[in-house]
Structure formats: C-alpha cells, structure tokens
Coordinates of all heavy atoms in Angstrom, one line a residue:
M4 N 1.8 -2.7 19.0 CA 1.0 -1.9 18.2 C -0.2 -2.8 17.8 O 0.0 -4.0 17.6 CB 1.6 -1.4 17.0 CG 2.7 -0.3 17.3 SD 3.2 0.5 15.9 CE 4.0 1.9 16.6
S5 N -1.2 -2.3 17.5 CA -2.4 -3.2 17.0 C -2.4 -3.4 15.4 O -1.7 -2.7 14.8 CB -3.7 -2.4 17.3 OG -3.8 -1.3 16.7
T6 N -3.0 -4.4 15.1 CA -3.1 -4.7 13.7 C -4.2 -3.8 12.9 O -5.2 -3.3 13.6 CB -3.4 -6.2 13.4 OG1 -3.9 -6.4 12.2 CG2 -4.3 -6.7 14.5
L7 N -4.2 -3.7 11.7 CA -5.1 -2.9 10.9 C -6.3 -3.6 10.5 O -7.2 -3.2 9.9 CB -4.4 -2.4 9.6 CG -3.3 -1.4 9.8 CD1 -2.6 -1.0 8.4 CD2 -3.6 -0.2 10.6
E8 N -6.5 -4.9 11.0 CA -7.6 -5.7 10.6 C -8.9 -5.4 11.3 O -9.8 -6.1 11.2 CB -7.1 -7.1 10.9 CG -6.0 -7.6 10.1 CD -6.1 -7.5 8.6 OE1 -7.2 -7.7 8.1 OE2 -5.2 -7.1 7.9
E9 N -9.0 -4.2 11.9 CA -10.2 -3.8 12.4 C -11.4 -3.6 11.5 O -10.9 -3.4 10.3 CB -10.1 -2.6 13.4 CG -9.2 -2.7 14.5 CD -8.8 -1.4 15.1 OE1 -9.6 -0.5 15.1 OE2 -7.7 -1.2 15.7
T10 N -12.6 -3.6 11.8 CA -13.6 -3.5 10.7 C -13.6 -2.1 10.1 O -13.6 -1.1 11.0 CB -15.0 -3.7 11.5 OG1 -14.9 -4.9 12.1 CG2 -16.2 -3.6 10.5
P11 N -13.6 -2.0 8.8 CA -13.8 -0.6 8.1 C -15.1 0.0 8.5 O -16.1 -0.8 8.8 CB -13.6 -1.0 6.6 CG -13.0 -2.3 6.6 CD -13.4 -3.0 7.8
G12 N -15.3 1.2 8.3 CA -16.6 1.9 8.5 C -16.5 3.2 7.8 O -15.6 3.5 7.0
P13 N -17.5 4.1 8.1 CA -17.5 5.3 7.3 C -16.4 6.3 7.4 O -15.9 6.9 6.5 CB -18.8 6.0 7.8 CG -19.4 5.1 8.8 CD -18.6 4.0 9.0
G14 N -15.6 6.1 8.5 CA -14.4 7.0 8.8 C -13.2 6.2 8.7 O -12.2 6.7 9.2
R15 N -13.2 5.0 8.3 CA -12.0 4.1 8.2 C -12.2 3.2 7.0 O -13.1 2.3 6.7 CB -11.9 3.2 9.4 CG -10.9 2.2 9.5 CD -11.0 1.3 10.7 NE -10.0 0.3 10.7 CZ -8.7 0.6 11.2 NH1 -8.5 1.8 11.7 NH2 -7.8 -0.3 11.2
L16 N -11.2 3.3 6.1 CA -11.0 2.5 4.8 C -9.7 1.6 5.0 O -8.7 2.2 5.2 CB -11.0 3.4 3.7 CG -12.2 4.2 3.5 CD1 -12.1 5.2 2.4 CD2 -13.5 3.4 3.3
V17 N -9.9 0.3 4.6 CA -8.7 -0.6 4.8 C -8.6 -1.4 3.5 O -9.7 -1.9 3.0 CB -8.9 -1.5 6.0 CG1 -7.7 -2.5 6.0 CG2 -9.1 -0.8 7.3
D18 N -7.4 -1.5 2.8 CA -7.2 -2.3 1.6 C -5.8 -2.9 1.7 O -4.9 -2.3 2.3 CB -7.4 -1.5 0.4 CG -8.9 -1.2 0.0 OD1 -9.4 -2.2 -0.4 OD2 -9.3 -0.1 0.1
E19 N -5.8 -4.0 1.0 CA -4.4 -4.7 0.7 C -3.9 -4.4 -0.7 O -4.7 -4.4 -1.6 CB -4.4 -6.1 1.0 CG -5.0 -6.6 2.4 CD -5.0 -8.1 2.5 OE1 -4.7 -8.9 1.5 OE2 -5.5 -8.5 3.6
V20 N -2.7 -4.1 -0.8 CA -2.0 -3.8 -2.1 C -0.5 -4.4 -2.1 O -0.1 -4.6 -1.0 CB -1.9 -2.3 -2.4 CG1 -3.3 -1.6 -2.6 CG2 -1.1 -1.5 -1.5
T21 N 0.1 -4.4 -3.1 CA 1.5 -4.7 -3.4 C 2.2 -3.5 -3.7 O 1.9 -2.8 -4.7 CB 1.7 -5.8 -4.3 OG1 0.9 -7.0 -3.9 CG2 3.2 -6.2 -4.5
T22 N 3.2 -3.1 -3.1 CA 4.1 -1.9 -3.4 C 4.6 -2.1 -4.6 O 5.2 -3.1 -5.1 CB 5.2 -1.6 -2.2 OG1 6.2 -2.6 -2.3 CG2 4.4 -1.5 -0.9
G23 N 4.9 -1.0 -5.3 CA 5.7 -0.8 -6.5 C 7.1 -0.8 -6.2 O 7.5 -0.7 -5.0
P24 N 7.9 -0.8 -7.2 CA 9.5 -0.8 -7.0 C 9.8 0.5 -6.2 O 9.3 1.6 -6.3 CB 10.0 -0.5 -8.4 CG 8.9 -1.1 -9.3 CD 7.6 -0.8 -8.6
G25 N 10.5 0.2 -5.2 CA 10.9 1.3 -4.2 C 10.0 1.6 -3.0 O 10.3 2.2 -2.1
G26 N 8.9 0.7 -2.9 CA 8.0 0.7 -1.8 C 7.4 1.8 -1.3 O 7.2 2.9 -2.0
A27 N 7.1 1.9 0.0 CA 6.4 3.1 0.6 C 7.2 3.5 1.9 O 7.9 2.7 2.5 CB 5.1 2.6 1.1
M28 N 7.4 4.8 2.0 CA 8.2 5.3 3.1 C 7.4 5.4 4.4 O 6.3 5.9 4.4 CB 8.7 6.7 2.7 CG 9.6 7.4 3.8 SD 11.1 6.5 4.1 CE 12.0 6.7 2.6
T29 N 8.0 5.0 5.5 CA 7.3 5.0 6.8 C 8.2 5.9 7.7 O 9.5 6.0 7.5 CB 7.2 3.7 7.5 OG1 8.5 3.2 7.9 CG2 6.4 2.8 6.6
D30 N 7.6 6.5 8.8 CA 8.3 7.4 9.7 C 9.2 6.5 10.6 O 10.3 6.9 10.9 CB 7.4 8.1 10.5 CG 6.6 9.2 9.9 OD1 7.0 9.6 8.6 OD2 5.6 9.8 10.4
E31 N 8.8 5.2 10.9 CA 9.4 4.5 11.9 C 10.6 3.6 11.3 O 11.6 3.5 12.0 CB 8.4 3.5 12.6 CG 7.3 4.3 13.4 CD 6.1 4.7 12.5 OE1 6.1 4.5 11.4 OE2 5.2 5.3 13.1
V32 N 10.3 3.1 10.2 CA 11.4 2.1 9.8 C 11.9 2.3 8.4 O 12.6 1.5 7.7 CB 10.9 0.6 9.8 CG1 10.6 0.2 11.2 CG2 9.6 0.3 8.9
G33 N 11.6 3.5 7.8 CA 12.0 3.7 6.5 C 11.1 3.0 5.5 O 9.8 2.9 5.6
V34 N 11.7 2.7 4.3 CA 10.9 2.0 3.2 C 10.6 0.5 3.5 O 11.4 -0.2 4.0 CB 11.7 2.1 1.9 CG1 11.0 1.2 0.8 CG2 12.0 3.5 1.4
I35 N 9.3 0.3 3.2 CA 8.8 -1.1 3.3 C 8.3 -1.6 1.9 O 7.8 -0.7 1.0 CB 7.8 -1.4 4.4 CG1 6.5 -0.7 4.1 CG2 8.3 -1.1 5.8 CD1 5.4 -0.9 5.2
T36 N 8.3 -2.9 1.5 CA 8.0 -3.3 0.3 C 7.2 -4.6 0.4 O 7.3 -5.2 1.4 CB 9.2 -3.6 -0.7 OG1 10.2 -4.5 0.0 CG2 10.1 -2.3 -0.9
G37 N 6.5 -5.0 -0.8 CA 5.8 -6.3 -0.7 C 4.3 -6.0 -0.5 O 3.8 -5.0 -0.9
D38 N 3.7 -7.1 0.1 CA 2.2 -7.0 0.3 C 2.0 -6.3 1.6 O 2.5 -6.6 2.7 CB 1.7 -8.4 0.4 CG 1.8 -9.2 -0.9 OD1 1.8 -8.5 -2.0 OD2 1.9 -10.4 -0.9
V39 N 1.2 -5.2 1.5 CA 0.9 -4.4 2.7 C -0.6 -4.2 2.8 O -1.3 -4.3 1.8 CB 1.6 -3.1 2.6 CG1 3.1 -3.2 2.5 CG2 1.1 -2.2 1.4
T40 N -0.9 -3.7 4.0 CA -2.4 -3.3 4.3 C -2.3 -1.9 4.7 O -1.5 -1.5 5.5 CB -3.0 -4.3 5.4 OG1 -3.0 -5.5 5.0 CG2 -4.4 -3.8 5.7
I41 N -3.2 -1.1 4.1 CA -3.1 0.3 4.4 C -4.6 0.7 4.9 O -5.7 0.4 4.5 CB -3.0 1.1 3.1 CG1 -1.6 0.9 2.4 CG2 -3.2 2.6 3.2 CD1 -1.3 1.2 1.1
A42 N -4.5 1.6 6.1 CA -5.8 2.0 6.7 C -5.7 3.5 6.6 O -4.7 4.1 7.0 CB -5.9 1.5 8.1
T43 N -6.8 4.1 6.1 CA -7.1 5.5 6.1 C -8.1 5.9 7.0 O -9.2 5.4 6.8 CB -7.2 6.0 4.7 OG1 -6.2 5.6 3.8 CG2 -7.3 7.7 4.6
V44 N -7.8 6.7 8.1 CA -8.7 6.8 9.1 C -9.0 8.4 9.3 O -8.1 9.2 9.6 CB -8.3 6.3 10.5 CG1 -9.3 6.4 11.5 CG2 -7.9 4.8 10.2
L45 N -10.2 8.9 9.2 CA -10.7 10.2 9.4 C -10.5 10.6 10.8 O -10.8 10.0 11.8 CB -12.2 10.4 9.0 CG -12.7 11.8 9.1 CD1 -11.9 12.7 8.1 CD2 -14.2 11.8 8.8
R46 N -9.8 11.9 10.9 CA -9.6 12.5 12.2 C -10.7 13.6 12.4 O -11.2 14.1 11.5 CB -8.3 13.1 12.4 CG -7.1 12.1 12.3 CD -5.8 12.8 12.0 NE -5.5 14.0 12.8 CZ -4.4 14.2 13.4 NH1 -3.4 13.4 13.4 NH2 -4.3 15.3 14.2
P47 N -11.0 14.0 13.6 CA -11.9 15.0 14.0 C -11.5 16.4 13.4 O -12.3 17.2 13.2 CB -11.9 15.1 15.5 CG -11.4 13.8 16.0 CD -10.5 13.3 14.9
D48 N -10.1 16.6 13.1 CA -9.7 17.8 12.6 C -9.8 18.0 11.0 O -9.3 19.0 10.5 CB -8.4 18.1 13.1 CG -7.2 17.2 12.6 OD1 -7.5 16.4 11.7 OD2 -6.0 17.4 13.0
G49 N -10.4 17.0 10.4 CA -10.5 17.1 9.0 C -9.4 16.5 8.2 O -9.3 16.6 6.9
R50 N -8.4 16.0 9.0 CA -7.3 15.3 8.2 C -7.5 13.8 8.4 O -8.5 13.4 9.0 CB -5.9 15.7 8.8 CG -5.7 17.3 8.5 CD -4.4 17.6 9.1 NE -4.3 17.5 10.5 CZ -3.2 17.5 11.2 NH1 -2.0 17.7 10.7 NH2 -3.3 17.4 12.6
A51 N -6.6 13.0 7.9 CA -6.7 11.6 8.0 C -5.3 10.9 8.3 O -4.3 11.4 7.7 CB -7.2 10.9 6.7
D52 N -5.4 10.0 9.2 CA -4.1 9.2 9.6 C -4.1 8.1 8.5 O -5.1 7.4 8.2 CB -4.3 8.7 11.0 CG -4.1 9.7 12.1 OD1 -3.3 10.6 11.9 OD2 -4.8 9.6 13.1
I53 N -2.9 7.8 8.1 CA -2.6 6.7 7.2 C -1.7 5.8 7.8 O -0.5 6.2 8.1 CB -2.1 7.3 5.8 CG1 -3.2 8.2 5.3 CG2 -1.9 6.0 4.9 CD1 -2.7 9.0 4.1
A54 N -2.1 4.6 8.1 CA -1.2 3.6 8.7 C -0.9 2.4 7.6 O -1.7 2.1 6.8 CB -1.8 3.0 9.9
I55 N 0.2 1.8 7.7 CA 0.6 0.8 6.8 C 1.3 -0.3 7.5 O 1.9 0.0 8.5 CB 1.5 1.4 5.7 CG1 1.8 0.3 4.5 CG2 2.8 2.0 6.2 CD1 2.4 1.0 3.3
Q56 N 1.0 -1.6 7.1 CA 1.7 -2.7 7.9 C 1.8 -3.8 6.7 O 1.2 -3.8 5.7 CB 0.9 -3.2 9.0 CG -0.4 -3.9 8.7 CD -1.1 -4.3 9.8 OE1 -1.8 -3.5 10.4 NE2 -1.0 -5.7 10.2
Y57 N 2.9 -4.7 7.0 CA 2.9 -5.9 6.2 C 1.7 -6.6 6.4 O 1.3 -6.8 7.5 CB 4.2 -6.7 6.5 CG 5.5 -6.1 6.1 CD1 6.3 -5.4 7.1 CD2 5.9 -6.0 4.8 CE1 7.5 -4.8 6.8 CE2 7.2 -5.4 4.4 CZ 7.9 -4.8 5.4 OH 9.1 -4.3 5.1
T58 N 1.0 -7.1 5.3 CA -0.1 -7.9 5.4 C 0.0 -9.1 6.3 O 0.9 -9.8 6.1 CB -0.7 -8.2 4.1 OG1 -1.0 -7.0 3.3 CG2 -2.0 -9.0 4.2
G59 N -0.8 -9.2 7.4 CA -0.7 -10.3 8.2 C 0.2 -10.1 9.4 O 0.3 -10.9 10.4
A60 N 0.9 -9.0 9.4 CA 1.9 -8.7 10.6 C 1.2 -7.9 11.7 O 0.0 -7.5 11.5 CB 3.0 -7.8 10.2
D61 N 1.7 -7.9 12.8 CA 1.1 -7.1 14.0 C 1.5 -5.7 14.0 O 0.7 -4.9 14.5 CB 1.5 -7.9 15.3 CG 0.8 -9.1 15.5 OD1 -0.3 -9.3 14.9 OD2 1.4 -10.1 16.2
E62 N 2.7 -5.4 13.6 CA 3.3 -4.1 13.8 C 2.7 -3.1 12.6 O 2.8 -3.5 11.5 CB 4.8 -3.9 13.8 CG 5.4 -4.6 15.0 CD 6.9 -4.6 15.0 OE1 7.4 -3.8 14.2 OE2 7.5 -5.1 15.9
Q63 N 2.3 -2.0 13.0 CA 2.0 -1.1 11.9 C 2.8 0.3 12.0 O 3.3 0.5 13.0 CB 0.4 -0.6 12.1 CG 0.1 0.1 13.3 CD -1.4 0.4 13.4 OE1 -2.2 -0.4 13.0 NE2 -1.7 1.5 14.0
Y64 N 2.8 1.0 10.9 CA 3.8 2.2 10.8 C 2.9 3.3 10.3 O 1.9 3.1 9.6 CB 4.9 1.8 10.0 CG 5.6 0.5 10.3 CD1 5.5 -0.6 9.5 CD2 6.4 0.5 11.5 CE1 6.2 -1.8 9.9 CE2 7.0 -0.7 11.7 CZ 7.0 -1.8 11.0 OH 7.6 -3.0 11.3
T65 N 3.5 4.5 10.4 CA 2.8 5.7 9.9 C 3.4 6.0 8.4 O 4.6 6.0 8.3 CB 3.2 6.9 10.7 OG1 2.8 6.7 12.1 CG2 2.6 8.2 10.2
L66 N 2.5 6.1 7.5 CA 3.1 6.4 6.2 C 3.6 7.8 6.3 O 2.9 8.8 6.8 CB 1.9 6.2 5.0 CG 2.4 6.5 3.7 CD1 3.2 5.4 3.2 CD2 1.1 6.6 2.7
T67 N 4.8 8.1 5.8 CA 5.3 9.4 5.9 C 4.4 10.5 5.1 O 3.8 10.2 4.1 CB 6.7 9.5 5.2 OG1 7.6 8.5 6.0 CG2 7.3 10.8 5.2
G68 N 4.2 11.6 5.8 CA 3.2 12.6 5.3 C 1.9 12.5 6.0 O 1.1 13.5 5.8
S69 N 1.7 11.4 6.9 CA 0.4 11.4 7.6 C 0.6 12.1 8.8 O 1.7 12.2 9.5 CB 0.2 9.9 7.9 OG -1.0 9.8 8.8
P70 N -0.5 12.8 9.3 CA -1.8 12.8 8.9 C -1.8 13.8 7.6 O -1.0 14.7 7.4 CB -2.6 13.5 9.9 CG -1.7 14.3 10.7 CD -0.4 13.6 10.6
A71 N -2.7 13.3 6.6 CA -2.8 14.0 5.4 C -4.1 14.9 5.3 O -5.2 14.5 6.0 CB -2.9 13.0 4.2
P72 N -4.1 16.0 4.5 CA -5.3 16.8 4.5 C -6.4 16.0 3.6 O -6.0 15.3 2.7 CB -4.8 18.1 3.8 CG -3.5 17.7 3.1 CD -3.0 16.6 4.0
L73 N -7.6 16.2 4.1 CA -8.7 15.5 3.5 C -9.0 16.4 2.1 O -9.4 17.5 2.3 CB -9.8 15.5 4.2 CG -11.0 14.4 4.1 CD1 -10.4 13.0 4.0 CD2 -12.1 14.5 5.0
P74 N -9.0 15.8 0.9 CA -9.4 16.5 -0.2 C -10.8 16.9 -0.2 O -11.7 16.3 0.5 CB -9.0 15.6 -1.4 CG -9.1 14.3 -0.9 CD -8.7 14.5 0.6
R75 N -11.3 17.8 -1.0 CA -12.7 18.1 -1.2 C -13.5 16.9 -1.5 O -14.7 16.8 -1.1 CB -12.9 19.2 -2.3 CG -14.2 19.8 -2.2 CD -14.4 20.8 -3.3 NE -13.3 21.7 -3.4 CZ -13.3 23.1 -3.6 NH1 -14.5 23.6 -3.6 NH2 -12.2 23.8 -3.6
A76 N -13.0 15.9 -2.3 CA -13.7 14.7 -2.6 C -13.9 13.8 -1.5 O -14.7 12.8 -1.7 CB -13.0 14.1 -3.9
G77 N -13.2 13.9 -0.4 CA -13.5 13.1 0.8 C -12.5 11.9 1.0 O -11.5 11.9 0.3
L78 N -12.9 11.2 2.0 CA -11.9 10.2 2.6 C -11.7 9.1 1.6 O -10.5 8.7 1.3 CB -12.5 9.6 3.7 CG -11.7 8.5 4.6 CD1 -10.4 9.2 5.1 CD2 -12.5 7.8 5.6
A79 N -12.7 8.7 0.8 CA -12.5 7.6 -0.3 C -11.5 8.1 -1.3 O -10.8 7.2 -1.7 CB -13.7 7.3 -0.8
A80 N -11.6 9.3 -1.8 CA -10.7 9.9 -2.7 C -9.2 9.9 -2.2 O -8.3 9.5 -2.9 CB -11.0 11.3 -3.1
L81 N -9.0 10.3 -0.9 CA -7.7 10.3 -0.3 C -7.2 8.8 -0.2 O -6.0 8.6 -0.6 CB -7.7 10.9 1.1 CG -6.4 10.8 1.8 CD1 -5.3 11.5 1.0 CD2 -6.6 11.4 3.2
H82 N -8.0 7.9 0.2 CA -7.5 6.5 0.3 C -7.2 6.0 -1.1 O -6.3 5.3 -1.2 CB -8.7 5.6 1.0 CG -8.4 4.3 1.2 ND1 -7.4 4.0 2.2 CD2 -8.8 3.1 0.6 CE1 -7.4 2.5 2.3 NE2 -8.2 2.1 1.3
H83 N -8.0 6.1 -1.9 CA -7.6 5.8 -3.5 C -6.3 6.4 -3.9 O -5.5 5.6 -4.5 CB -8.7 6.2 -4.4 CG -8.5 5.8 -5.7 ND1 -8.5 4.5 -6.3 CD2 -8.1 6.5 -6.9 CE1 -8.2 4.5 -7.4 NE2 -8.0 5.7 -7.9
E84 N -6.0 7.6 -3.6 CA -4.8 8.3 -4.0 C -3.7 7.6 -3.2 O -2.6 7.3 -3.8 CB -4.9 9.8 -3.7 CG -3.5 10.4 -3.9 CD -3.0 10.5 -5.3 OE1 -4.0 10.4 -6.3 OE2 -1.8 10.8 -5.6
V85 N -3.8 7.2 -2.0 CA -2.8 6.6 -1.3 C -2.5 5.3 -1.8 O -1.3 4.8 -2.1 CB -3.1 6.5 0.2 CG1 -2.1 5.6 1.0 CG2 -3.1 8.0 0.8
L86 N -3.5 4.4 -2.1 CA -3.3 3.1 -2.8 C -2.5 3.2 -4.0 O -1.7 2.3 -4.3 CB -4.6 2.5 -2.9 CG -5.5 2.2 -1.7 CD1 -6.8 1.6 -2.1 CD2 -4.8 1.2 -0.7
E87 N -2.9 4.2 -4.8 CA -2.2 4.3 -6.1 C -0.8 4.7 -6.1 O 0.1 4.2 -6.7 CB -2.9 5.5 -7.0 CG -4.3 5.0 -7.5 CD -4.2 3.7 -8.3 OE1 -3.2 3.5 -9.4 OE2 -4.9 2.6 -8.1
R88 N -0.4 5.6 -5.0 CA 0.9 5.9 -4.8 C 1.7 4.8 -4.4 O 2.9 4.7 -4.8 CB 0.9 7.1 -3.7 CG 0.5 8.4 -4.2 CD 0.4 9.5 -3.1 NE 0.0 10.7 -3.5 CZ 0.9 11.8 -3.4 NH1 1.9 11.8 -2.8 NH2 0.5 13.1 -3.9
V89 N 1.2 4.1 -3.4 CA 1.9 2.9 -2.9 C 2.1 1.8 -4.1 O 3.1 1.2 -4.2 CB 1.1 2.3 -1.7 CG1 1.7 1.0 -1.3 CG2 1.3 3.3 -0.5
R90 N 1.1 1.6 -4.9 CA 1.3 0.6 -5.9 C 2.4 1.2 -7.0 O 3.0 0.3 -7.5 CB -0.1 0.6 -6.8 CG -1.1 -0.2 -6.1 CD -2.4 -0.4 -7.0 NE -3.4 -1.2 -6.3 CZ -4.6 -0.6 -5.9 NH1 -4.8 0.7 -6.2 NH2 -5.4 -1.3 -5.3
R91 N 2.6 2.5 -7.1 CA 3.6 2.9 -8.0 C 4.9 2.9 -7.3 O 6.0 2.8 -8.1 CB 3.3 4.4 -8.4 CG 2.2 4.6 -9.4 CD 2.1 6.1 -9.8 NE 2.1 7.1 -8.9 CZ 0.9 7.7 -8.6 NH1 -0.2 7.2 -9.1 NH2 0.9 8.6 -7.6
G92 N 5.0 2.9 -6.0 CA 6.3 2.8 -5.3 C 7.1 3.9 -5.2 O 6.5 5.1 -5.1
G93 N 8.4 3.9 -5.4 CA 9.2 5.1 -5.4 C 9.2 5.8 -4.1 O 9.2 6.9 -4.0
S94 N 9.3 5.0 -3.0 CA 9.2 5.5 -1.6 C 8.0 6.5 -1.4 O 8.1 7.5 -0.9 CB 10.5 6.4 -1.4 OG 11.7 5.6 -1.4
A95 N 6.8 5.9 -1.8 CA 5.6 6.5 -1.7 C 5.3 7.1 -0.3 O 5.5 6.5 0.6 CB 4.5 5.6 -2.1
E96 N 4.7 8.3 -0.4 CA 4.3 9.1 0.8 C 2.8 9.5 0.7 O 2.3 9.5 -0.5 CB 5.2 10.3 1.0 CG 6.6 10.0 1.3 CD 7.5 11.2 1.6 OE1 7.0 12.3 1.7 OE2 8.7 11.0 1.7
A97 N 2.3 9.9 1.7 CA 0.9 10.5 1.8 C 0.9 11.7 1.0 O 1.9 12.5 1.1 CB 0.4 10.7 3.2
P98 N -0.3 12.1 0.3 CA -0.4 13.3 -0.4 C -0.3 14.6 0.8 O -0.9 14.4 1.9 CB -1.7 13.4 -0.9 CG -2.2 11.9 -0.9 CD -1.5 11.3 0.2
R99 N 0.3 15.6 0.4 CA 0.3 16.7 1.3 C -0.6 17.8 1.1 O -0.6 18.9 1.9 CB 1.8 17.1 1.4 CG 2.8 16.0 2.0 CD 4.1 16.5 2.1 NE 4.9 15.4 2.4 CZ 5.5 15.1 3.5 NH1 5.4 15.9 4.5 NH2 6.3 13.9 3.6
S100 N -1.3 17.8 0.0 CA -2.2 18.8 -0.3 C -3.3 18.3 -1.2 O -3.2 17.2 -1.7 CB -1.7 20.0 -1.0 OG -1.0 19.7 -2.2

C-alpha cells in the first residue's frame, strides 16, 4: 500500500495526531494507537475516504465508517471532526452522518 505522505490539496487534507485512550478502529487490523497520520480525501460522489496509518509507516488502513458523508460545512469540517474523534480515542470511527 502507499504512504499518506502525498501532497495535500483542495480535495485532500493530511494531518498527524496522537490517538486517545482506546485508539482508532480500522477495517483491516482493528484498533491502532499512538502517533498516526490521517488523510481525508474527497470522492466524486460527495463522500470522503479516510485513511489512517502509523506515522512514518508504509501501510495504510481504512478508518472504520469510511467513506464518510461530506457535511454541509465541507471537507475541512469533516477532517477536523475525524481528527478530534481520533484524539479522543475510544475506538474512534468516521462520522456516519
């Protein structure tokens, strides 16, 4: 799999965060914890893919609940919500509405 270190752009937001207690839930490997990089990428259908990986690692995973619906406030608002959820931990997932 590719790394998330690609250049952010208008349809792609990337940030590094540390997971809260209980980490973030992925489809592929279950919960991951620690320092992670999150990429939120706009899809043509108005939803967004959310990928997560250990910061500096090559393998990326799908945050459970991705693709997520894009809120009225847009991609940046969704990305911010995802970052906050992951910071809180508790097996964080993507927003579903």
Side-chain angles (χ1 to χ4, degrees):
M4 293 189 162
S5 65
T6 160
L7 298 180
E8 298 302 318
E9 297 172 29
T10 305
R15 178 185 178 81
L16 300 172
V17 179
D18 279 291
E19 295 178 9
V20 297
T21 300
T22 65
M28 182 64 71
T29 70
D30 291 350
E31 296 86 359
V32 296
V34 173
I35 63 173
T36 60
D38 295 331
V39 297
T40 302
I41 297 173
T43 307
V44 182
L45 186 61
R46 294 167 46 131
D48 66 3
R50 297 183 295 165
D52 288 319
I53 303 164
I55 186 169
Q56 72 183 79
Y57 290 107
T58 300
D61 290 332
E62 292 184 8
Q63 67 183 29
Y64 309 107
T65 303
L66 186 68
T67 298
S69 174
L73 200 62
R75 192 181 313 226
L78 186 67
L81 174 62
H82 185 69
H83 178 74
E84 173 67 20
V85 169
L86 295 175
E87 288 303 311
R88 286 172 177 242
V89 171
R90 284 185 184 117
R91 284 192 303 263
S94 298
E96 296 184 4
R99 298 185 191 251
S100 60

